[in-house]
Amino acid sequence: MSRYFLGFLYPISRLISYSVFEKEQKIREGLYMMGLEDGIFHLSWFIAYALQFAVSSAIITVCTMDNLFKYSDKTVVFIYFFFFGLSAIMLSFLISTFFTRAKTAVAVGTLTFLGAFFPYYSVNDEGVPM
């Protein structure tokens, strides 16, 4: 199960990179001077990446329905992966607020996203041979 979250790693790193790059290049401030509201700005990023995660979740759902989730409902599996993607978007928004340089944000943000799964690996014995 934990292998599938790696499919979300690249879009999350891109989201962190682009949002911090806009802050670094002062693009956001230029848009604010033209009348863009803060909520609309974040909503546009959220919708764009939610659509990407919807496609990714659909692909993962289709690929796993024959073997891993054979007896599960397709909509529940899709919603599970989609909500995971939405929470990853929120985590990347949180991570991007702490940085002003895009390269540093991508490195630390990606490691933080991977580090968020260490508690899962510490209590799950999926990879431990018996």
Side-chain angles (χ1 to χ4, degrees), residues 2 4 13 15-16 22 27 45 48 54 60 88 92 94 104 109 123 126:
S2 63
Y4 296 109
S13 68
L15 176 58
I16 293 170
E22 282 188 349
I27 296 171
W45 278 106
I60 290 173
S92 65
L94 176 71
T104 308
V123 297
E126 179 180 304

Side-chain angles (χ1 to χ4, degrees), residues 89-104:
I89 292 171
M90 292 297 127
L91 179 64
S92 65
F93 282 157
L94 176 71
I95 291 169
S96 68
T97 59
F98 295 111
F99 297 98
T100 56
R101 297 196 43 135
K103 290 183 180 183
T104 308

Side-chain angles (χ1 to χ4, degrees), residues 69-129:
F69 299 116
K70 186 186 300 186
Y71 302 111
S72 299
D73 186 19
K74 291 178 177 69
T75 57
V76 172
V77 174
F78 172 79
I79 289 172
Y80 175 77
F81 284 116
F82 183 64
F83 282 171
F84 175 76
L86 295 182
S87 67
I89 292 171
M90 292 297 127
L91 179 64
S92 65
F93 282 157
L94 176 71
I95 291 169
S96 68
T97 59
F98 295 111
F99 297 98
T100 56
R101 297 196 43 135
K103 290 183 180 183
T104 308
V106 170
V108 174
T110 305
L111 290 175
T112 304
F113 185 70
L114 288 172
F117 287 91
F118 283 139
Y120 172 77
Y121 290 122
S122 66
V123 297
N124 189 3
D125 59 354
E126 179 180 304
V128 178

Side-chain angles (χ1 to χ4, degrees), residues 15-43:
L15 176 58
I16 293 170
S17 173
Y18 292 151
S19 62
V20 175
F21 180 75
E22 282 188 349
K23 190 182 344 178
E24 184 179 353
Q25 297 295 318
K26 308 274 190 230
I27 296 171
R28 187 183 303 181
E29 282 79 13
L31 292 172
Y32 288 155
M33 285 189 287
M34 288 188 272
L36 180 71
E37 295 179 14
D38 196 36
I40 302 298
F41 176 77
H42 291 294
L43 184 64

